[in-house]
Amino acid sequence: MLVALGGGVVGDITGFVAATYMRGIRFMQVPTTLLAQVDSSVGGKTGVNHPLGKNMIGAFYQPSLVCIDVETLKTLPEREFFAGMGEVIKYGVIEDSELFEYLKANKESIISLGESIVHIVKRSCEIKADVVSKDELESGLRAILNYGHTMGHAVETVTGYKKYLHGEAIGIGMCAAADLAVKMGLLTQEESQAIKEMVEMYNLPGVIPNDLKIIDLINAMEVDKKARSGKLQFILPESIGTVRIENDIDREVIKDVINEHLA
Ligand SMILES: NC(=O)c1ccc[n+]([C@@H]2O[C@H](COP(=O)([O-])OP(=O)(O)OC[C@H]3O[C@@H](n4cnc5c(N)ncnc54)[C@H](O)[C@@H]3O)[C@@H](O)[C@H]2O)c1
């Protein structure tokens, strides 16, 4: 049995080795970053990057146990902590308006690792486990966990994975997807604003840096599209707590949103 003690990188590699060594041995996740505790340790996606693409080589392989101790977060650099909060905000938007409100009301307790941190880690794991148990191999519903990821991945790719941590790029992606939803008449301006304020409240970037080119971002999304489902998919909020999956949105509308979003 292997034990993945560390952040998402350690978890993904350990899981992949466990999935392939002797055609599969048991493994356990002991995540020590907020991102790994609320996201990557749950759900069974494992893998490694390849020069041809992120997570190009991997497997769906469930851990036998996920063991989380929030005490480990005491030594986590602040920037890594806030990046993990990006995924927590995501859960609030896609599934749980109460969690969203909780994040608004309990910031101090959350960032000081008080009682509230246990609540938000537990709730995030529950939401992820619930979605994954309904669609383990991402044939449909699981895609909602990718809210903020279409634009987020494009920003990560175009900036060479150097400028932003994953959760920071997701912050940008969630704000852009909210704007897209407003443009398509799905979400109110007020709710989009609430999402942006939440992203800002947890020290995450919400706008696309203006030195990035629209064409590069669109191209990165197209490459990602081919590697994934073959569709340019956006997860769009209809309200805080409900999202819908939209495929192949008009590129001009996406360009408009990027344009308006450049800082
Ligand atoms: N499998 C999935 O479903 C999934 C989901 C999201 C992200 N990911 C992957 O997860 C990875 C990102 O994970 P991450 O954000 O945990 O980054 P990470 O694993 O790179 O960890 C971030 C940094 O924190 C350090 N660290 C870890 N725990 C610490 C602690 N308790 N105290 C101090 N330092 C600590 C690490 O050594 C590293 O330098 C990416 O590769 C991403 O692709 C996977």
Side-chain angles (χ1 to χ4, degrees), residues 5-12 29 31-37 39-47 49 54-55 71-77 80 83-84 87 90 128 142 149 153 156 165-167:
L5 174 69
V9 169
V10 169
D12 279 11
Q29 291 274 18
T32 61
T33 64
L34 183 60
L35 182 129
Q37 294 184 352
D39 189 3
S40 63
S41 66
V42 176
K45 277 191 183 177
T46 73
N49 295 337
K54 202 178 176 210
N55 296 325
E71 288 279 308
T72 60
L73 302 177
K74 283 187 174 159
T75 54
L76 192 67
E80 295 285 351
E87 301 286 357
K90 174 190 84 178
K128 179 146 187 194
R142 186 171 177 157
H149 286 56
H153 277 156
E156 281 184 292
L165 296 176
H166 179 68

Side-chain angles (χ1 to χ4, degrees), residues 21 81 99 147 157 167 173 175 202 250 263:
Y21 181 66
F81 180 83
L99 174 62
Y147 169 55
T157 306
C175 294
Y202 283 96
D250 185 352

Side-chain angles (χ1 to χ4, degrees), residues 48 60 81 85 87 98 104 144 151 214 225 248:
V48 291
F60 284 97
F81 180 83
M85 284 305 299
E87 301 286 357
E98 267 177 40
K104 214 187 291 178
I144 67 170
M151 187 69 76
I214 296 183
K225 167 188 127 170
D248 282 322

Side-chain angles (χ1 to χ4, degrees), residues 18-147:
T20 46
Y21 181 66
M22 292 172 66
R23 298 199 182 91
I25 61 170
R26 296 199 307 147
F27 87 112
M28 168 180 167
Q29 291 274 18
V30 188
T32 61
T33 64
L34 183 60
L35 182 129
Q37 294 184 352
V38 299
D39 189 3
S40 63
S41 66
V42 176
K45 277 191 183 177
T46 73
V48 291
N49 295 337
H50 183 274
L52 285 179
K54 202 178 176 210
N55 296 325
M56 193 59 97
I57 300 163
F60 284 97
Y61 196 67
Q62 297 296 343
S64 301
L65 178 73
V66 181
C67 177
I68 299 175
D69 184 346
V70 292
E71 288 279 308
T72 60
L73 302 177
K74 283 187 174 159
T75 54
L76 192 67
E78 204 172 78
R79 190 175 166 205
E80 295 285 351
F81 180 83
F82 285 121
M85 284 305 299
E87 301 286 357
V88 182
I89 295 168
K90 174 190 84 178
Y91 293 121
V93 177
I94 65 171
E95 278 275 328
D96 190 348
S97 57
E98 267 177 40
L99 174 62
F100 192 87
E101 288 306 316
Y102 189 90
L103 298 179
K104 214 187 291 178
N106 293 283
K107 183 184 170 194
E108 287 317 312
S109 168
I110 291 168
I111 62 175
S112 63
L113 304 179
E115 282 289 300
S116 303
I117 192 74
V118 177
H119 173 71
I120 64 163
V121 170
K122 189 164 174 279
R123 190 67 200 113
S124 298
C125 290
E126 281 168 359
I127 294 171
K128 179 146 187 194
D130 180 55
V131 172
V132 172
S133 67
K134 290 177 184 148
D135 175 24
E136 188 181 358
L137 304 182
E138 200 166 318
S139 47
L141 178 76
R142 186 171 177 157
I144 67 170
L145 297 170
N146 296 335
Y147 169 55

